[in-house]
Amino acid sequence: MNRPDTDVLVLGGGPAAAWAALAAAGAGARVVLADKGYCGTSGPTASGGNNLWYVPPDAEARARAVGERFEQGGRLADRRTMARVLDETYRRVDDLASFGYPFPVDEDGVERRASLQGPEYMKRMRRRVHRSGVTILDHHPALRLLVDDWGVAAGAAGIARQKGGETWTVRAGAVVLATGGCAFLSGAFGTNVDTGDGHLMAAELGAELSGMEFSSAYAFSPAHGSHTKGLMMQFATYYTEQGVPIDVPDPLGARVRVAERLAAGEKVYARLDKAPPRLHEAMRHAQPNYFLPLDKAGIDPFRDRYELRMVLEGTVRGTGGLRITGDDCATTVPGLYAAGDVATRELVSGAVSGGGAYNGAWAISSGTWAGRGAAGFAVGRARPHAVPAGRAGLRPGLLDAATVIRAVQDEMLPLDRNLFRTRDGLRGSLASLDALWERITSQGIAGTGRERLRARSAAAMTAHARWSYRAALARPESRGMHRLENLPQLPRYEHRRLVGGLDEPWTAVEPEEAPA
Ligand SMILES: Cc1cc2nc3c(=O)[nH]c(=O)nc-3n(C[C@H](O)[C@H](O)[C@H](O)COP(=O)(O)OP(=O)(O)OC[C@H]3O[C@@H](n4cnc5c(N)ncnc54)[C@H](O)[C@@H]3O)c2cc1C
């Protein structure tokens, strides 16, 4: 199925894609948006919601917010980009209010705009995108990018899931990748579509990645569910299986203390007993999906202890992703722009997870910048001859996709591999993952029609895992969420680390120093 040419093709259907599509259409481009799922319900924002890094335009408050986050993020972020994110997010949230988002109002009559309910948010975004004249292709995952004779990204090809896997092609003047991060099908809430497909497609055109060592984001979830809402945990007391409270220094330190016990095979429980009763209803209202599985199991989390597990969220809440080279979210491939979790978030969240506010703000602002940037690149540009790029997992072959996925998960999900990193552990995992990649490219993964998506996602997860561990071994110090046994934490600024390549992966130090 060949679709008509367009100016800008947006891949993805989460907040970054929706803001990119709106911005590109607003800049006068013809826009097609193709989502793996249904735009408006796919991905973790649509399933849950976002607290936002949202600071009204008070110069002092903003400077303080930037300064604090710069230090928390291991001094690896870029303060100018952080200030731009605050400004853009504030203005786009104004737009959201004009789209009819029902912000709650506090006792003083002021709208509370720093938290968004996912379904309400994304329903309005979809409607707005549709009304802006964007063509939305739901259940149309992209499998690979098109590239022209000059190496410019020139569209994509994929399959229509609801048409038995029929193939589609859209030629475009520029592409925005907004395909989310990679959570390795760990079961984290809403991340079933986040398998790192965009990273692989971009790398096949030679795109560079940055900050992939900071992808070891794990979050607490009730053992009865998969909802990893960290905000709940600020009200938690942690307990051993025998009901003895566990001493934790602070919420961030709690993660490490509890993770150590879980990694040692102990059971850990939580109770939200620090939540004042007047907040119980508000918490339930803000995050109903957190409480649903507990309610079903007859557990009242404010009164009863419930078992916890830690779920890997990878680059969905970690910070690594495609390297950004300009204010317009251009990648290192001409014509290819990246937004949201698929792009590196180091510029705003540094070496520490961007979850709980920075991610949502980054999706909004980077989406807007990428959409505008792509429109500026594409409108009026001639469409030269373009061909599909990429091959890993695309040629039907011998390997079973489920087996490949399990093999990647065996290296990425265990806490004692990915969170408590040792040099030997990382080297061992990398050797297995490199061997797996070699088999994927030489033997292929079985699957035709719709199954090609799973085969391709299995290849994407393998590539993602290899970049993460390769970058982790290349960083010479423990920094932020990357903690490697026996390596010191250095307070001073260290360069950002780049990684890339598929059959011949490489790492490098970013040539340019981050401004202090
Ligand atoms: C449980 C949970 C709670 C969170 N809470 C917060 C919070 O409070 N605050 C905060 O800032 N952040 C939070 N985050 C992180 C936040 O949800 C993400 O940063 C945000 O969703 C990123 O938006 P995105 O559009 O880049 O990606 P996503 O929302 O992941 O969307 C990716 C989109 O790409 C599509 N896609 C994937 N592959 C393809 C393909 N091959 N072709 C076409 N489309 C494709 C998917 O279908 C999906 O629509 C949370 C994450 C989780 C898991």
Side-chain angles (χ1 to χ4, degrees):
M1 182 187 4
N2 274 319
R3 298 252 167 201
D5 283 15
T6 189
D7 294 319
V8 174
L9 173 63
V10 177
L11 299 178
W19 285 105
L22 273 187
R30 289 171 302 142
V31 184
V32 173
L33 177 150
D35 187 12
K36 186 189 228 175
Y38 180 86
C39 171
T41 65
S42 55
T45 291
S47 326
N50 279 173
N51 302 309
L52 290 183
W53 197 37
Y54 179 83
V55 183
D58 165 335
E60 214 172 289
R62 286 198 174 171
R64 200 167 45 246
V66 167
E68 282 170 10
R69 181 62 196 183
F70 182 74
E71 294 302 328
Q72 280 166 13
R75 304 178 69 82
L76 216 54
D78 173 49
R79 286 189 266 211
R80 194 179 69 85
T81 307
M82 296 167 96
R84 288 181 69 225
V85 166
L86 278 177
D87 196 44
E88 191 70 54
T89 303
Y90 183 81
R91 285 187 284 132
R92 299 290 71 84
V93 171
D94 264 352
D95 289 352
L96 194 56
S98 75
F99 303 164
Y101 183 89
F103 288 105
V105 176
D106 67 18
E107 307 86 67
D108 303 324
V110 179
E111 279 186 348
R112 279 189 270 135
R113 292 189 168 189
S115 178
L116 300 174
Q117 271 244 5
E120 294 289 347
Y121 172 26
M122 289 309 298
K123 182 171 75 183
R124 281 167 180 79
M125 290 304 294
R126 180 185 173 97
R127 196 183 301 153
R128 198 69 195 184
V129 167
H130 182 65
R131 284 186 187 160
S132 313
V134 172
T135 303
I136 300 177
L137 304 177
D138 293 308
H139 303 291
H140 275 57
L143 296 184
R144 49 183 164 171
L145 295 174
L146 308 185
V147 60
D148 74 14
D149 297 343
W150 288 272
V152 177
I159 55 170
R161 292 167 74 180
Q162 293 181 325
K163 293 185 180 157
E166 185 184 322
T167 55
W168 59 263
T169 301
V170 172
R171 282 164 44 93
V175 178
V176 177
L177 275 175
T179 44
C182 178
F184 298 97
L185 297 178
S186 64
F189 197 66
T191 63
N192 59 319
V193 286
D194 295 327
T195 48
D197 307 358
H199 303 73
L200 175 57
M201 288 190 259
E204 285 166 338
L205 263 60
E208 299 174 0
L209 298 98
S210 181
M212 289 300 285
E213 64 274 34
F214 309 121
S215 54
S216 51
Y218 286 83
F220 291 124
S221 152
H224 284 84
S226 61
H227 205 306
T228 46
K229 204 71 204 174
L231 207 62
M232 298 293 162
M233 291 294 119
Q234 65 178 302
F235 300 112
T237 305
Y238 299 91
Y239 297 90
T240 65
E241 195 168 7
Q242 292 70 34
V244 179
I246 299 172
D247 193 22
V248 294
D250 52 60
L252 205 63
R255 267 169 35 92
V256 177
R257 289 273 167 88
V258 172
E260 282 167 354
R261 287 176 179 261
L262 291 172
E266 291 176 33
K267 287 189 175 181
V268 175
Y269 293 76
R271 184 165 61 195
L272 304 180
D273 40 22
K274 292 183 190 154
R278 66 182 162 77
L279 284 188
H280 291 188
E281 261 325 294
M283 287 166 71
R284 281 183 171 278
H285 181 71
Q287 294 298 331
N289 286 328
Y290 190 85
F291 294 91
L292 209 62
L294 293 165
D295 289 344
K296 276 191 186 157
I299 295 169
D300 175 354
F302 299 111
R303 186 197 61 203
D304 307 322
R305 292 193 296 268
Y306 57 98
E307 194 182 337
L308 285 181
R309 63 187 179 117
M310 285 190 95
V311 188
L312 181 64
E313 293 181 328
T315 42
V316 172
R317 284 220 246 199
T319 75
L322 295 172
R323 182 180 176 207
I324 297 297
T325 59
D327 284 355
D328 56 359
C329 288
T331 67
T332 45
V333 175
L336 186 63
Y337 297 76
D341 288 359
V342 74
T344 182
R345 200 167 20 233
E346 278 170 305
L347 300 177
V348 59
S349 65
V352 173
S353 168
Y358 308 93
N359 296 2
W362 173 246
I364 293 173
S365 23
S366 62
T368 305
W369 300 333
R372 264 188 224 138
F377 184 90
V379 173
R381 200 170 170 272
R383 306 268 185 281
H385 174 68
V387 293
R391 63 192 170 101
L394 286 170
R395 180 173 55 82
L398 299 176
L399 301 178
D400 169 44
T403 309
V404 173
I405 291 169
R406 260 196 313 278
V408 177
Q409 289 175 330
D410 284 348
E411 306 302 336
M412 295 308 288
L413 302 192
L415 290 163
D416 58 2
R417 273 292 150 116
N418 199 356
L419 188 62
F420 302 114
R421 294 172 166 178
T422 64
R423 209 160 267 281
D424 284 350
L426 290 182
R427 283 195 184 121
S429 288
L430 200 49
S432 307
L433 291 163
D434 284 347
L436 184 62
W437 181 260
E438 202 283 318
R439 282 170 53 219
I440 290 171
T441 51
S442 60
Q443 299 175 17
I445 305 178
T448 53
R450 268 190 307 213
E451 293 160 5
R452 293 175 69 207
L453 174 60
R454 195 157 172 80
R456 185 68 166 156
S457 297
M461 281 190 269
T462 312
H464 211 85
R466 293 170 74 225
W467 291 318
S468 299
Y469 282 172
R470 204 158 246 109
L473 279 166
R475 180 160 282 283
E477 87 282 9
S478 289
R479 181 171 296 270
M481 67 170 61
H482 167 63
R483 285 155 190 256
L484 185 53
E485 180 194 53
N486 296 333
L487 274 186
Q489 304 230 30
L490 302 179
R492 72 184 177 82
Y493 167 73
E494 279 292 334
H495 288 77
R496 299 194 191 102
R497 293 261 144 190
L498 308 181
V499 67
L502 289 161
D503 296 338
E504 291 177 29
W506 53 266
T507 63
V509 170
E510 190 181 52
E512 189 184 307
E513 285 240 341

